[in-house]
Amino acid sequence: MFKIAAMGDKSSIYGFASIGLEIYPIEDPQVAIHQLRSMVDGGYAVIFITEELATQIESELDRYRELPTPAIIPIPGIQGNTGLGMRNVSKSVEQAVGSDILSDA
Amino acid sequence: MARLNVNPTRMELTNMKGKLKTAKKGHKLLKDKRDELMRQFIELVRENKELRRQVEKGIAEANAHMAVARSVMSDEALNVALMLPMQEMSLEITEKNVMSVMIPVFETKFKTADANDIYSYGYAFTSSDLDDAVKALSDIMPLMLRLAEVEKSCQLMAAEIEKTRRRVNALEHVMIPQYEETIKYIRMKLDENDRSTTTRLMKVKDMMLEDAHHYSEKQ
């Protein structure tokens, strides 16, 4: 049984609580890194994280890319879309192919 | 090119030939694996991008509703409304093997029997925009989970493709030429040995005939 979590600033993730996700209102990157580390072995399958927070701890997130769980998925927060999510997809393509052949303008 | 440091013997030649054959077979198999992985990966990435677009749009919508709800309701009322969620969502993970990459497959489980049981508050003191926000999020949730599944698969496959590509290249550009070079070297050495043996024998024969018949003195 795996859990789903949402992490980020409070106003962006508050709604997720009502549909049954565990929410972690965190804005400080250091605290977020700490929290993530304890969550990795804590039976979380998916962690949604706001893009604002994700950009600040990108190198930490890269460490979990190749682990089977958890899937850490950046989502746009209340401040809007920063394009980090799409950039992450392009990163996968680049890693696999050598250059981003699927980028569309 | 660098050749391996081996003794030029027939034994080593046979060994090298065997290794070359294995390397070529491995190269072909890995190349096939890479191509198939790549094909599936590209498909998955396309889906990933499409899902991401939809999810980002959906969340933006939900956020807009949330912002309205936030402005209409007091923070306290909002906190109280969302404080105790009715629903709890959890996942069962099974793994699917795609060309030896284990990709996750999620199956959603809800705590309450009715998956639509998402409003954790009475409607008396909340704004209808909050309902909209919660509804929008709940609608987008299956897509978000599918996105998580696909995006994770993409990341895992990308790592595997990179590894496979390196192996293919190492075999193609290092191992196989090396073996070929070594085989050529051993063959030339052995041929050279053969020739030198032949000439030595001819010379010895000449000398023996000379001893027996004294040709040079008779002329």
Side-chain angles (χ1 to χ4, degrees), chain A residues 4-45:
Chain A
I4 315 170
M7 192 188 270
D9 60 296
K10 197 170 152 193
S11 38
S12 297
I13 59 164
Y14 225 61
F16 290 117
S18 61
I19 49 172
L21 271 59
E22 284 183 28
I23 58 167
Y24 292 90
I26 295 171
E27 282 177 59
D28 180 27
Q30 285 308 315
V31 180
I33 288 176
H34 212 75
Q35 182 66 37
L36 266 182
R37 283 189 188 158
S38 64
M39 282 161 93
V40 168
D41 307 315
Y44 287 89

Side-chain angles (χ1 to χ4, degrees), chain A residues 63-97:
Chain A
R63 290 178 35 186
Y64 305 117
R65 273 178 83 87
E66 285 167 33
L67 298 180
T69 56
I72 300 179
I73 309 297
I75 51 169
I78 205 138
Q79 276 93 13
N81 197 340
T82 62
L84 176 78
M86 279 295 176
R87 262 209 316 286
N88 258 341
V89 182
S90 301
K91 206 149 101 191
S92 287
V93 179
E94 249 180 66
Q95 187 188 9
V97 185

Side-chain angles (χ1 to χ4, degrees), chain A residues 2 17 20 64 67 74 81 96, chain B residues 52 56 85 87 89 91 152 165:
Chain A
F2 290 87
Y64 305 117
L67 298 180
N81 197 340
Chain B
R52 198 155 251 296
E56 285 179 357
Q87 193 60 274
M89 204 184 255
L91 291 176
K152 191 80 222 176
R165 209 183 53 212

Side-chain angles (χ1 to χ4, degrees), chain A residues 52-75:
Chain A
E52 290 86 50
L53 190 59
T55 8
Q56 295 173 63
I57 53 169
E58 232 181 313
S59 57
E60 179 74 13
L61 298 186
D62 279 346
R63 290 178 35 186
Y64 305 117
R65 273 178 83 87
E66 285 167 33
L67 298 180
T69 56
I72 300 179
I73 309 297
I75 51 169

Side-chain angles (χ1 to χ4, degrees), chain B residues 189-206:
Chain B
K189 262 285 200 253
L190 287 178
D191 284 357
E192 185 60 27
N193 276 349
D194 272 359
R195 280 193 293 275
S196 81
T197 315
T198 320
T199 36
R200 195 162 54 239
L201 282 178
M202 281 165 76
K203 184 75 188 161
V204 170
K205 185 180 165 197
D206 271 358

Side-chain angles (χ1 to χ4, degrees), chain B residues 1-182:
Chain B
M1 257 294 282
R3 95 185 131 70
L4 296 170
N5 188 17
V6 291
N7 294 326
T9 57
R10 234 161 248 290
M11 178 92 154
E12 280 297 340
L13 182 65
T14 326
N15 271 347
M16 282 298 144
K17 276 183 178 166
K19 279 185 182 170
L20 177 67
K21 210 172 149 195
T22 319
K24 277 189 171 160
K25 203 183 271 169
H27 176 245
K28 192 188 165 302
L29 284 171
L30 279 172
K31 215 162 134 184
D32 288 351
K33 177 182 170 182
R34 185 197 60 188
D35 291 349
E36 175 59 17
L37 266 177
M38 197 61 102
R39 190 184 66 76
Q40 300 213 13
F41 176 74
I42 298 288
E43 261 173 38
L44 220 56
V45 164
R46 289 230 166 87
E47 189 183 349
N48 190 345
K49 288 204 159 172
E50 184 52 37
L51 275 170
R52 198 155 251 296
R53 255 191 288 277
Q54 288 173 14
V55 164
E56 285 179 357
K57 213 174 109 216
I59 289 182
E61 229 166 81
N63 275 340
H65 285 301
M66 201 59 155
V68 177
R70 204 161 262 285
S71 65
V72 179
M73 290 164 63
S74 70
D75 259 5
E76 267 167 37
L78 196 66
N79 281 349
V80 168
L82 296 176
M83 197 163 52
L84 285 173
M86 298 257 292
Q87 193 60 274
E88 202 174 293
M89 204 184 255
S90 61
L91 291 176
E92 247 354 291
I93 304 184
T94 44
E95 279 180 330
K96 202 173 91 182
N97 190 344
V98 175
M99 307 298 291
S100 83
V101 189
M102 287 302 189
I103 63 172
V105 178
F106 295 150
E107 196 189 322
T108 326
K109 289 244 168 75
F110 295 98
K111 194 175 82 176
T112 55
D114 185 5
N116 290 319
D117 216 353
I118 47 174
Y119 303 109
S120 57
Y121 44 85
Y123 304 112
F125 305 105
T126 53
S127 143
S128 68
D129 287 297
L130 184 61
D131 304 348
D132 288 341
V134 168
K135 179 84 178 83
L137 278 181
S138 134
D139 285 346
I140 204 77
M141 205 57 214
L143 279 184
M144 284 176 73
L145 290 175
R146 175 77 188 134
L147 174 72
E149 198 177 280
V150 169
E151 198 153 309
K152 191 80 222 176
S153 305
C154 274
Q155 290 170 0
L156 292 173
M157 277 171 101
E160 184 68 22
I161 289 177
E162 192 188 18
K163 251 189 265 170
T164 315
R165 209 183 53 212
R166 282 185 187 201
R167 280 190 199 137
V168 171
N169 282 347
L171 278 173
E172 189 172 331
H173 297 295
V174 181
M175 304 287 278
I176 292 179
Q178 215 170 47
Y179 288 142
E180 278 172 346
E181 188 88 0
T182 312

